[in-house]
Amino acid sequence: MYLVLLGVLPNRQTQSFHLICFYGLYAILTVSALGTILQSFGELFLPSHFFVDDVVTLYDSIATPILIGIIQFGVIKLIAPNLEIIRKNQHLQKSNRLKFINSLLSTSLILYLLTYQFNNASYKNAVNMFFVVSLISLLVYLKNTTQNYFNFQLAQQKQQQLDHLTTYTTQIEDLYKSINGFRHDYANLIVSLETSIQAGDINQIRSIYEDVLKNSSSVLNHGNHTLGSLTKIDIPAIKSILSNKIILALEKGIHIEFEIEQKWSTCHVDVFDYIRMLGILLDNAIEASEACSIAFINIAFITDNVKQEHRLIIENSTNQEFINISHIFQDGVTSKGANRGIGLSNMQHILSNYEQAHIETECSNYRFRQTLITQG
């Protein structure tokens, strides 16, 4: 109860009561039950002449805590990712499954406390067995919860990709219609221009130029034509999020420049992690540039076949001439307001899983550039 209250006081605003109860129950129960089990093993496997008073005291007071610490470290390392998912998900914290696990742990703790009342070896063994069953149930619960969470995330990601690709397809169709219409108009233009040239009508030629040819560059360089370059990207998930973010930026009036030299079919890291990082970089670029009077984003994919290296460069306008980049990857550090600096810290956490990937950051003259480098 003390451990539960100790957890409630500083965390009652951010964590659910059920999760705090779980932390407290798990801590006290595992230490107590593991200690009992280790002492039972000692009595079972160690020679009887080993158990003189001083040696028993040393085993109980030194060896047992060390062994408990080693076992706890291994178990916590095993279940830490699962606990992190539950800690960040309010729905999972309020689920009936977590309540059931708490009930099992509470029952195990009560049964354990009663061993002092009964002081019976058979009862202690039964309690230890119940604790083992509870611990196995906990591990199964955490595994299933994590698996279900990842399955949900995967299904959600696939749906987002489908939505993005649908939008991309629609934009490509509009682009084709635009080019096809321009080609038809251009053919008619050439016919009329040829007639005017043959007639030597300089005024007619000037009129055709002013009305049509002068504006053709704006038609051909329209932002939607940027999407045509995405055909060089062979990874559907990356093409999906790029098309979605480019369309979003264009809708916000941001000028987009997109460059890709050759076919791009691998990113050298897990695709899910790559699109998470790509999404963070593009979201930050869009949010920073749309606040500028001259809003632009430049995106480039560069492949170095010799070094087997890919570089993704995202450069955007910013309303700050200089940004201190030494702290921007720390959690909570941002120029966008309180409690909003989580994107780049999450990205740094993703990059920590890959030795062959890193990011370079530059800022000068109201330009902010980040280069994501992956090798394989």
Side-chain angles (χ1 to χ4, degrees):
M1 291 181 65
Y2 171 73
L3 287 176
V4 171
L5 290 174
L6 194 64
V8 168
L9 292 177
N11 299 301
R12 60 183 180 275
Q13 300 296 332
T14 58
Q15 300 294 334
S16 76
F17 180 73
H18 300 293
L19 186 62
I20 295 172
C21 285
F22 167 76
Y23 287 148
L25 289 169
Y26 176 84
I28 187 65
L29 179 64
T30 51
V31 170
S32 302
L34 285 173
T36 302
I37 293 172
L38 289 171
Q39 289 170 0
S40 300
F41 281 156
E43 295 173 1
L44 184 63
F45 294 107
L46 294 176
S48 57
H49 66 269
F50 181 84
F51 285 96
V52 296
D53 289 341
D54 291 341
V55 176
V56 169
T57 301
L58 288 174
Y59 177 79
D60 289 345
S61 61
I62 298 178
T64 298
I66 291 175
L67 291 173
I68 290 174
I70 294 172
I71 295 172
Q72 283 281 50
F73 178 80
V75 173
I76 290 174
K77 289 286 286 185
L78 178 67
I79 67 177
N82 312 77
L83 292 177
E84 184 70 12
I85 290 173
I86 296 175
R87 188 179 67 82
K88 293 181 177 181
N89 194 308
Q90 291 289 332
H91 174 72
L92 294 178
Q93 293 176 23
K94 297 176 182 178
S95 67
N96 290 328
R97 289 183 177 183
L98 184 59
K99 295 177 184 178
F100 175 72
I101 292 297
N102 279 341
S103 299
L104 277 180
L105 295 178
S106 299
T107 303
S108 299
L109 181 58
I110 292 171
L111 293 175
Y112 172 78
L113 293 174
L114 290 176
T115 57
Y116 295 99
Q117 179 70 28
F118 295 106
N119 196 25
N120 181 281
S122 299
Y123 179 78
K124 286 183 178 180
N125 292 333
V127 170
N128 289 338
M129 183 59 65
F130 187 83
F131 165 73
V132 171
V133 171
S134 299
L135 186 59
I136 292 174
S137 300
L138 167 64
L139 296 176
V140 171
Y141 157 73
L142 291 174
K143 182 180 181 299
N144 289 339
T145 298
T146 305
Q147 189 62 48
N148 292 337
Y149 175 80
F150 281 128
N151 288 341
F152 172 76
Q153 290 286 89
L154 183 60
Q156 193 176 45
Q157 185 64 38
K158 287 181 177 179
Q159 184 60 46
Q160 287 179 352
Q161 289 180 24
L162 180 60
D163 294 341
H164 294 170
L165 287 175
T166 300
T167 305
Y168 171 69
T169 303
T170 302
Q171 293 288 331
I172 290 296
E173 289 175 353
D174 293 340
L175 173 61
Y176 174 77
K177 292 176 182 177
S178 174
I179 292 177
N180 197 41
F182 182 78
R183 184 179 63 180
H184 178 268
D185 295 340
Y186 195 78
N188 293 332
L189 170 66
I190 293 299
V191 172
S192 61
L193 187 60
E194 183 182 6
T195 303
S196 300
I197 292 173
Q198 290 175 351
D201 189 346
I202 191 64
N203 292 328
Q204 183 66 22
I205 294 173
R206 183 180 289 109
S207 176
I208 293 172
Y209 172 78
E210 292 290 342
D211 293 342
V212 183
L213 289 178
K214 193 174 182 179
N215 297 323
S216 63
S217 61
S218 64
V219 175
L220 294 174
N221 293 327
H222 189 272
N224 287 339
H225 294 250
T226 300
L227 296 174
S229 302
L230 295 182
T231 55
K232 293 183 179 179
I233 296 178
D234 290 337
I235 306 174
I238 295 177
K239 181 187 295 184
S240 167
I241 192 170
L242 270 171
S243 63
N244 177 262
K245 299 301 182 183
I246 288 174
I247 292 169
L248 176 63
L250 291 172
E251 290 174 348
K252 292 177 177 289
I254 300 171
H255 179 73
I256 299 290
E257 290 288 343
F258 183 83
E259 178 185 348
I260 181 168
E261 298 176 334
Q262 53 188 283
K263 284 286 186 180
W264 210 76
S265 57
T266 181
C267 54
H268 302 313
V269 298
D270 182 77
V271 173
F272 181 69
D273 285 339
Y274 197 89
I275 62 175
R276 285 174 63 196
M277 293 188 289
L278 179 58
I280 290 169
L281 293 176
L282 289 173
D283 284 340
N284 287 348
I286 291 172
E287 188 167 356
S289 59
E290 69 176 331
C292 303
S293 56
I294 302 177
F296 67 84
I297 297 176
N298 300 326
I299 306 170
F301 283 86
I302 300 174
T303 302
D304 188 331
N305 293 323
V306 176
K307 295 182 179 179
Q308 293 186 325
E309 180 180 273
H310 286 328
R311 286 177 173 259
L312 164 64
I313 303 173
I314 298 179
E315 182 183 67
N316 61 270
S317 56
T318 175
N319 55 14
Q320 296 176 271
E321 183 177 5
F322 174 78
I323 297 175
N324 185 358
I325 63 175
S326 61
H327 303 299
I328 60 174
F329 288 94
Q330 295 178 7
D331 192 12
V333 176
T334 175
S335 60
K336 297 180 289 185
N339 300 319
R340 296 175 66 190
I342 58 174
L344 290 179
S345 64
N346 286 345
M347 185 169 180
Q348 193 72 3
H349 178 71
I350 296 170
L351 287 171
S352 66
N353 297 321
Y354 299 98
E355 294 182 0
Q356 74 276 26
H358 67 280
I359 189 167
E360 297 176 355
T361 304
E362 304 171 57
C363 180
S364 63
N365 298 324
Y366 300 98
R367 289 173 176 259
F368 185 80
R369 173 187 291 186
Q370 293 196 284
T371 304
L372 178 59
I373 302 170
T374 57
Q375 295 175 317

